[in-house]
Amino acid sequence: MSAAHARGATAGVLITFEGGEGSGKSTQVERLAEWLAERGREVVVAREPGTTAVGEMTRRILLQTAPDGLAAEAELALFLAARAQLAEEVIRPALEAARIVLLDRYGDSSVAYQGYGRGIEPGRVVELNRWATRGLEPDLTVLIDMPVSDASGRRGRPPDRLERAGTAFHERVRRGYHRIAGEEPERFLVIDGTKSIDDIQQGIRERVEKLLAGRVPQRTESG
Ligand code: ADP
Ligand code: TYD
């Protein structure tokens, strides 16, 4: 059963972008959104945590609290709160209106960071994501994968709280993403993030084109 059928035949498409900090998610989301819009698709872009007012407040707490100032469970609960609000306020309405939703991070970030990175049981995080979003699963997840050392070299600003967590943490996150993608190969497109921006975008467009073929725009009443 596809994600769209599982969530009750909403006509839109949900595409999420995952990977470490500096892997190029925002760059690729922006380019894909432009390309889709040029083709007449209605696109909604959001980032996690953020986008909603509640999400932006949560983002500030998460990124500005002292390095050891948040328990792993508190951190997860804040990400889940931002995600629940985003799902309710932005994602579900957009999917119901047959839009294409592009998300810069979603539930897999919590599985990778709070699960594999911080040590909360990953299966539990998967369940909590499902609870927080009432089962809103991505149709496609693009994982931009690259060595931790390459990505940290791209940062043009001082590291925030999570970025300061250290190489071992980010290695666990990267391996976590590999596990998640390996468990659901049909949902994931894993791309080598060390390739050029254009090459990566080309790979994403090819996969998205296949996903969209015959699907959007498509209203629920026509089946
Ligand atoms: P993220 O959203 O994953 O943190 P960004 O899209 O903000 O990553 O990219 C981080 C930095 O790396 C930016 O300066 C961006 O221009 C640059 N960048 C993105 N993709 C690539 C790439 N494939 N090769 C080289 N530099 C890149
Ligand atoms: P952000 O600036 O969006 O990172 P990026 O450079 O990748 O765009 O910061 C988000 C940070 O929050 C990043 O370190 C990953 C982390 N994060 C989690 O730990 N769990 C989550 O569920 C999400 C959505 C993000």
Side-chain angles (χ1 to χ4, degrees):
M1 190 194 285
S2 74
H5 286 105
R7 68 176 168 247
T10 57
V13 175
L14 178 55
I15 304 175
T16 64
F17 288 73
E18 296 284 353
E21 296 92 340
S23 57
K25 298 178 298 299
S26 317
T27 305
Q28 297 298 335
V29 166
E30 202 177 303
R31 293 206 174 193
L32 184 65
E34 278 168 18
W35 181 74
L36 289 168
E38 280 164 13
R39 272 151 193 76
R41 307 283 190 173
E42 286 192 80
V43 184
V44 173
V45 175
R47 70 166 180 174
E48 269 219 32
T51 304
T52 67
V54 167
E56 287 298 345
M57 284 190 276
T58 325
R59 184 181 186 90
R60 281 200 292 279
I61 301 172
L62 284 161
L63 298 184
Q64 293 171 13
T65 305
D68 52 1
L70 266 181
E73 291 76 8
E75 192 175 87
L76 174 60
L78 288 165
F79 281 118
L80 289 170
R83 185 163 304 129
Q85 195 59 34
L86 187 71
E88 176 72 17
E89 207 177 298
V90 177
I91 307 173
R92 197 177 299 275
L95 292 175
E96 282 170 359
R99 304 220 155 92
I100 300 173
V101 181
L102 306 184
L103 296 183
D104 190 340
R105 296 194 180 278
Y106 193 51
D108 297 309
S109 281
S110 288
V111 181
Y113 282 79
Q114 282 65 54
Y116 289 100
R118 295 238 183 268
I120 298 176
E121 204 271 301
R124 181 105 179 93
V125 184
V126 170
E127 276 170 28
L128 288 167
N129 277 333
R130 212 169 278 146
W131 169 76
T133 64
R134 290 191 281 126
L136 222 44
E137 309 282 346
D139 295 282
L140 169 65
T141 298
V142 177
L143 171 58
I144 307 182
D145 177 55
M146 63 188 292
V148 172
S149 53
D150 292 12
S152 59
R154 286 185 185 168
R155 198 192 295 123
R157 54 178 167 73
D160 62 37
R161 192 179 64 87
L162 286 146
E163 288 164 348
R164 285 195 301 263
T167 306
F169 172 79
H170 288 102
E171 294 291 358
R172 289 199 297 280
V173 169
R174 184 178 184 211
R175 284 199 300 276
Y177 271 130
H178 292 164
R179 291 275 293 272
I180 300 166
E183 281 162 12
E184 283 184 81
E186 66 295 339
R187 170 161 72 90
F188 274 86
L189 170 66
V190 183
I191 294 198
D192 175 357
T194 64
K195 292 198 297 192
S196 75
I197 291 176
D198 287 346
D199 283 356
I200 296 172
Q201 181 65 201
Q202 189 53 37
I204 295 171
R205 287 179 187 177
E206 281 167 15
R207 178 65 178 262
V208 168
E209 210 150 36
K210 277 187 207 145
L211 176 67
L212 296 182
R215 279 194 60 182
V216 178
Q218 170 197 324
R219 296 281 165 191
T220 44
E221 55 268 30
S222 64

